[in-house]
Amino acid sequence: MEFFCHHRDRPGSMPLREELTQAHWSYMDGYERELIARGPTFADDGETLTGSVHIVDLPDAAAARAFAFDEPSYQAGAYRDVLLRRWRNTLGRTMWEFPGGRTGGHRYLVLGLGAGRPADLDVPSGPAEPIAYGPLLSDDGTAWLGTAALVRAPDRDTARAVLTSARYAVVEVHDWEFGGRR
């Protein structure tokens, strides 16, 4: 089962996050085979760290909760909250298999939170290139709750356009970059 996890930073937690960088990476190294995508998110300035995204393939919801809440920065109080949802890997690949590679261009997390009839189930075509893409689902995997995408795009507006904004309560766009030691 695939899960989308977005740890969102608590204001002022950067010194703590920096102190825990090696512990965080070591923890993630234990999930190397399960990771579909990972990396930090940033504020509109492209420099201020705002969180961490991890998309993982784990046996069940209990394993996903353990992954999210045993993470060293979470345990130390660096995060204000965690969005953890079932996710479906529509592209069927990891971020490391993205043909565009790790560098070049702007990369974004586009997160649409909604309810009701599912939207944007098909991978979009256009100027934004999907790195990872899929629906956010209820714990049992039956209800659509939104969409999470990692994309390479020329700008935030192009990234946002991968989702049909009117179908979501909110669409967030965060600067994002490939994470990890790979």
Side-chain angles (χ1 to χ4, degrees):
M1 286 179 200
E2 296 146 339
F3 295 87
F4 173 86
C5 181
H6 187 196
H7 291 94
R8 298 174 191 248
D9 283 15
R10 182 176 46 79
S13 66
M14 194 62 212
L16 180 58
R17 288 281 309 271
E18 288 173 348
E19 178 183 322
L20 294 167
T21 297
Q22 289 303 319
H24 168 79
W25 283 355
S26 293
Y27 182 79
M28 290 302 154
D29 287 347
Y31 289 93
E32 182 177 356
R33 291 187 179 134
E34 291 84 5
L35 285 165
I36 295 167
R38 69 186 283 189
T41 58
F42 300 89
D44 292 350
D45 65 11
E47 295 180 21
T48 304
L49 193 64
T50 61
S52 232
V53 170
H54 299 92
I55 302 174
V56 294
D57 188 356
L58 296 168
D60 55 38
R65 283 189 293 280
F67 168 82
F69 299 114
D70 289 346
E71 192 277 333
S73 297
Y74 177 83
Q75 288 291 309
Y79 301 123
R80 68 176 164 93
D81 61 43
V82 178
L83 173 64
L84 179 63
R85 290 282 180 251
R86 289 270 304 268
W87 185 77
R88 185 176 313 117
N89 188 353
T90 305
L91 295 172
R93 67 176 185 221
T94 71
M95 72 178 199
W96 298 280
E97 297 166 311
F98 170 59
R102 292 180 67 103
T103 60
H106 302 281
R107 286 134 199 279
Y108 302 94
L109 162 64
V110 183
L111 186 59
L113 303 176
R117 284 192 5 226
D120 300 316
L121 296 178
D122 296 324
V123 177
S125 60
E129 301 170 81
I131 297 166
Y133 188 91
L136 297 169
L137 305 167
S138 60
D139 287 347
D140 66 4
T142 61
W144 175 86
L145 302 175
T147 305
L150 301 172
V151 299
R152 179 169 68 179
D155 54 56
R156 296 172 76 75
D157 289 338
T158 304
R160 180 182 301 277
V162 301
L163 300 185
T164 310
S165 292
R167 296 297 309 277
Y168 298 90
V170 64
V171 174
E172 301 175 8
V173 179
H174 303 268
D175 286 12
W176 172 81
E177 66 182 36
F178 276 50
R181 301 183 210 245
R182 292 185 187 207

